[in-house]
Amino acid sequence: MPENTKLSSSVTVKQYKEMLQNEQRNNIADFILERFTERYLTPFANEDTKHGFSMMAISCLMIEALESFKQGWPNSNSRSALAFCYFFDSSKHFTELSGSHQAFYKHIRCGLLHQAETTGGWKITRKKGQPLLNPETNTINAYKFMQNLKKEIEDYTNELKHSEWNSPLWTNTRKKIKYICNQCK
């Protein structure tokens, strides 16, 4: 039953379609925030179960998913490097990485995905109080990275709430969710 498929813990395909039909921007934005939070951020809320590599692997998934929403892409196949470029160049929460998107993509995202480790001398830490990026040691702070991703998804969903229904942001978001719903069939 595709209509009963849950897109998040509280929203089914049917409920989303009803929100869509009624142009319920706030409800859709809240659903998107819930979907991203429960899939990518909540699993790392417990201090005792965090691991920097896992945090960064999930963070990379979240970046590609979020950019797919923003760009209206059905998926990030053959566009994942571009997703990181767009993400870091447009985010106010990741300015330290705006010029490093290619290196980050290659040594963090691809390193973790394809080699199960960082490459090129890049490192991951979870120490609180450390900067997001230490450019001298190419060290990414996974804790700070996830904190900033949380701010990023909150900014995106707030922007949705304040944007016109037919704006490019909403048009792209609806394209992505339509693709997600179609995958439920």
Side-chain angles (χ1 to χ4, degrees):
M1 299 288 250
E3 294 291 310
N4 294 327
T5 300
K6 288 192 169 211
L7 300 173
S8 71
S9 61
S10 67
V11 177
T12 64
V13 171
K14 181 180 179 181
Q15 290 169 316
Y16 167 71
K17 288 180 179 179
E18 290 169 1
M19 288 187 268
L20 181 67
Q21 184 177 5
N22 295 314
E23 298 182 12
Q24 296 176 337
R25 294 179 314 185
N26 288 349
N27 290 348
I28 296 170
D30 288 341
F31 140 66
I32 292 169
L33 179 62
E34 178 181 70
R35 180 179 170 96
F36 274 87
T37 300
E38 65 192 18
R39 287 178 177 222
Y40 302 105
L41 301 173
T42 300
F44 295 98
N46 182 341
E47 284 287 323
D48 298 330
T49 60
K50 292 181 182 178
H51 193 283
F53 276 66
S54 300
M55 292 170 74
M56 289 308 300
I58 292 297
S59 293
C60 289
L61 286 174
M62 184 172 169
I63 288 170
E64 289 190 43
L66 182 56
E67 275 307 308
S68 292
F69 272 74
K70 289 180 179 181
Q71 303 301 324
W73 296 337
N75 56 56
S76 59
N77 296 352
S78 73
R79 297 184 188 118
S80 59
L82 186 59
F84 282 83
C85 176
Y86 286 166
F87 180 81
F88 288 131
D89 285 350
S90 67
S91 174
K92 68 181 181 186
H93 303 291
F94 291 91
T95 55
E96 299 97 317
L97 290 162
S98 65
S100 304
H101 64 269
Q102 288 177 325
F104 180 94
Y105 177 77
K106 178 179 181 181
H107 298 298
I108 299 290
R109 187 267 188 199
C110 291
L112 291 173
L113 179 65
H114 301 296
Q115 304 300 322
E117 62 187 18
T118 60
T119 62
W122 282 71
K123 299 166 192 68
I124 297 172
T125 187
R126 287 188 304 120
K127 293 179 183 171
K128 292 182 181 177
Q130 296 293 314
L132 174 65
L133 170 66
N134 180 334
E136 294 174 11
T137 61
N138 286 335
T139 302
I140 296 287
N141 184 327
Y143 177 79
K144 180 86 170 173
F145 201 94
M146 285 198 113
Q147 284 182 320
N148 287 8
L149 275 177
K150 183 176 188 227
K151 293 174 189 172
E152 193 70 34
I153 190 63
E154 289 170 350
D155 286 354
Y156 170 67
T157 54
N158 282 328
E159 188 177 355
L160 284 171
K161 289 178 180 183
H162 295 96
S163 295
E164 293 297 321
W165 184 250
N166 291 319
S167 68
L169 186 66
W170 267 111
T171 300
N172 289 343
T173 297
R174 289 192 307 268
K175 279 184 197 176
K176 176 60 178 175
I177 300 174
K178 180 179 180 181
Y179 181 78
I180 291 169
C181 290
N182 287 339
Q183 295 302 305
C184 296
K185 294 179 182 176

